[in-house]
Amino acid sequence: MSQQIMSKHPIRVLIAEDSLFTAHLLQKILEDAPDIEVVGVATTGKEAVEMATALRPDVITMDYEMPEMNGLEALEIIMKTVHVPVIMCSLYTRRGAEITTQALLMGAVDVVQKPRSQVELPLIQEELLRKIRAAVRSQGVRALKPLAEPPQPPPKPQLGRLLQIGDPVIVIAASTGGPRTLATLLQSLPPDLGAAILIVQHMPPHFTHTLAHRLDLYSALRVAEAEEGMRLTIGSALLAPGGVHTTLLNFRTIRLTLDPPVNHVRPAADVTMRSVARFHGERAIGVVLTGMGEDGREGARAIKQAGGTVIAQDESSSVVYGMPRAVVEAGLADYVQPPEEIAQTLIDLIRRMSRHDTA
């Protein structure tokens, strides 16, 4: 039995949703859970801000399109005033993906699919409850440092050379709170970083393409969504697509699979890390960032067993200290640091590898 269920105080959730039908579906999901109480339903962004201030809920589920004040405007005010973790509820559309990705970079902790009918409730229920329970344990917006929009896209280097045997490969794992943390980390990496990067962020299908585009704006490196048959290049980062696992067919060629979920997720960082450890051994570097669950732990173990290096985000900077905690408590982390220091550690590790090669 979870700690929250045993607690005397249920998780108090405010639903912000302008569709009464959708609000009813969300309310039904939440009120069926013994550890959750719906304290109110706001039908406009202005109401969401007012009710968040008055009711002080533990978690808010937020629609992105509402009258008077949209979800992004309400999110910005809530982050600055009541510091409540916000989970975005989005339709799987291009516009929904774009707005939700922006919300995640602003500080929303996670995203769930908006139910469209009673039939979809069982498919969404487990995910929504799991993410609400993780959000209430999170540090919410209190853990976030300012993330300024880039004034203009930084100049990109020419497409880097193809990865060669012996070049470092970095695998970055992230979940709850990950998009904003990834932006912070990538902002701190130079365009001439002598490594290829694979990123596994737990997100639904259709959202990862938009996230890759947004991260590319923040980074001096080239960031794109991985595709079948793509080849790793130095100075670029590929983001695992939602809904499939990202592995390597050989030391530099991407292979996407529909193998069963691992750790209840697909893509799973464990799958990608094991693949990179297999082909790159001591030149594999695993980075496990904020997120719920234990994905990344066994992948980190594979990297360590192959002679590689593992870095975990520290607790104070993590929105949810689940994935990095699992790595640290298993004794697998060589470094435990906030994102800005992780960036410098990656730079130093790759420079040392380069000096060793030329010695």
Side-chain angles (χ1 to χ4, degrees), residues 116-167:
R116 291 169 295 187
S117 68
Q118 294 275 358
V119 176
E120 290 185 344
L121 290 186
L123 302 175
I124 297 169
Q125 182 173 18
E126 181 181 353
E127 178 187 15
L128 178 59
L129 296 178
R130 177 165 46 87
K131 290 184 175 182
I132 285 176
R133 289 164 183 151
V136 80
R137 294 193 299 270
S138 78
Q139 300 187 71
V141 298
R142 291 184 294 277
L144 301 176
K145 296 181 179 180
L147 181 64
E149 283 283 346
Q152 59 184 15
K156 302 289 181 183
Q158 294 296 318
L159 189 64
R161 65 171 173 82
L162 286 176
L163 186 82
Q164 303 296 321
I165 294 176
D167 288 329

Side-chain angles (χ1 to χ4, degrees), residues 154-355:
K156 302 289 181 183
Q158 294 296 318
L159 189 64
R161 65 171 173 82
L162 286 176
L163 186 82
Q164 303 296 321
I165 294 176
D167 288 329
V169 177
I170 302 166
V171 185
I172 304 175
S175 186
T176 313
R180 189 181 174 99
T181 305
L182 286 168
T184 300
L185 175 57
L186 292 172
Q187 277 184 323
S188 304
L189 294 175
D192 59 350
L193 185 74
I197 301 175
L198 284 169
I199 301 170
V200 182
Q201 164 70 49
H202 298 162
M203 286 188 87
H206 314 301
F207 283 76
T208 43
H209 177 79
T210 303
L211 177 62
H213 173 72
R214 296 282 295 184
L215 291 176
D216 186 62
L217 297 178
Y218 283 93
S219 176
L221 304 169
R222 291 181 178 273
V223 184
E225 186 179 45
E227 297 177 9
E228 178 74 21
M230 272 187 173
R231 294 185 291 179
L232 298 179
T233 59
I234 295 298
S236 66
L238 295 180
L239 178 68
V244 295
H245 291 305
T246 297
T247 65
L248 295 179
L249 178 64
N250 53 44
F251 75 95
R252 68 184 178 199
T253 305
I254 294 294
R255 178 172 179 259
L256 305 179
T257 79
L258 285 170
D259 291 341
V262 174
N263 303 312
H264 308 289
V265 293
R266 190 174 62 195
D270 278 347
V271 173
T272 305
M273 286 179 161
R274 287 187 182 119
S275 185
V276 169
R278 174 189 172 197
F279 286 106
H280 294 280
E282 64 182 13
R283 294 305 174 97
I285 302 172
V287 180
V288 181
L289 302 177
T290 176
M292 62 181 173
E294 299 177 344
D295 189 33
R297 182 185 61 190
E298 296 311 307
R301 192 185 309 279
I303 288 174
K304 289 289 291 181
Q305 290 173 346
T309 305
V310 172
I311 306 170
Q313 187 173 353
D314 67 348
E315 183 172 8
S316 65
S317 68
S318 296
V319 174
V320 175
Y321 192 56
M323 287 164 51
R325 181 196 296 276
V327 171
V328 172
E329 291 184 348
L332 299 170
D334 297 292
Y335 303 87
V336 181
Q337 299 171 322
E340 297 86 348
E341 292 182 23
I342 290 174
Q344 187 58 53
T345 296
L346 290 173
I347 294 167
D348 293 342
L349 284 170
I350 292 163
R351 283 176 179 167
R352 286 202 294 269
M353 290 179 186
S354 178
R355 286 197 297 267

